[in-house]
């Protein structure tokens, strides 16, 4: 009933039993792996087999963090692994491997980091848009006053109108950017 996967190994590193959580995490059932070498079940590019060899000699490993394991279908799983030697009468009677699938935790950390980066980018975009809008408003106000003073017959009147139109375009773009941010 444990959430962690548990595998019990003989001193010869063959699988004695696995719990339902280990079956679910690794994709194997207990009957098909019982009696098989552990390397057929715990497939890992990490130093796991070396540590299991040390466990046969009685050296427990309290925590191997973020070890890569492979599910039966080939996808990788990140797991924290504990390897415990069961010593009786001076010799290793069994080895217990306890592991916890941390793939979801890692994925949530990555998503949280991405959300934080997006929030920071959104905040930056909002500040940027606000800082651009202030001078645009000043330019627009000045152009409106200039337009009133020049009158529609003045030769520069068209240029001032184009300035006002461009200020409006930039204003709309910056407002959209602020809304998006």
């Amino acid at each position: 009933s444990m959430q962690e996967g548990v595998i019990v190994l003989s001193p010869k590193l063959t699988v004695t039993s696995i719990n339902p959580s280990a079956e679910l995490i690794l994709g194997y059932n207990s009957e098909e792996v019982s009696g098989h070498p552990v390397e057929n079940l715990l497939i890992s590019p990490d130093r796991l087999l070396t540590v299991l060899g040390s466990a046969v000699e009685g050296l427990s490993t309290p925590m191997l963090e973020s070890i890569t394991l492979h599910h039966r279908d080939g996808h990788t799983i990140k797991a924290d692994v504990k390897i415990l030697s069961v010593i009786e009468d001076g010799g290793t009677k069994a080895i217990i491997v306890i592991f916890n699938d941390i793939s979801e935790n890692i994925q949530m950390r990555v998503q949280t980091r991405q959300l934080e980066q997006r929030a920071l980018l959104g905040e930056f975009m909002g500040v940027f848009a606000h800082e651009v809008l202030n001078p645009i408003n000043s330019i627009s106000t000045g152009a409106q006053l200039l337009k009133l003073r020049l009158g529609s017959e003045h030769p520069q009147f068209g240029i001032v109108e184009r300035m006002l139109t461009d200020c409006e375009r930039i204003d709309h773009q910056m407002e959209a950017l602020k809304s998006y941010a």
Side-chain angles (χ1 to χ4, degrees), residues 39-112:
E39 58 266 15
N40 293 350
L41 177 63
L42 290 179
I43 301 165
S44 174
D46 296 320
R47 62 191 189 281
L48 193 57
L49 291 177
T50 305
V51 176
L52 286 169
S54 299
V56 172
E57 298 172 15
L59 297 171
S60 294
T61 305
M63 182 63 78
L64 294 171
E65 293 181 348
S66 198
I67 296 293
T68 301
L69 299 175
H70 290 277
H71 187 274
R72 179 183 199 149
D73 67 9
H75 78 268
T76 58
I77 302 162
K78 286 292 187 180
D80 288 341
V81 180
K82 297 175 192 170
I83 299 174
L84 309 170
S85 296
V86 179
I87 308 294
E88 189 176 283
D89 297 328
T92 302
K93 179 167 176 115
I95 296 145
I96 300 173
V97 180
I98 303 170
F99 58 98
N100 192 19
D101 183 356
I102 59 168
S103 302
E104 232 177 71
N105 294 347
I106 292 170
Q107 187 177 7
M108 284 193 313
R109 274 188 246 139
V110 168
Q111 287 175 341
T112 300

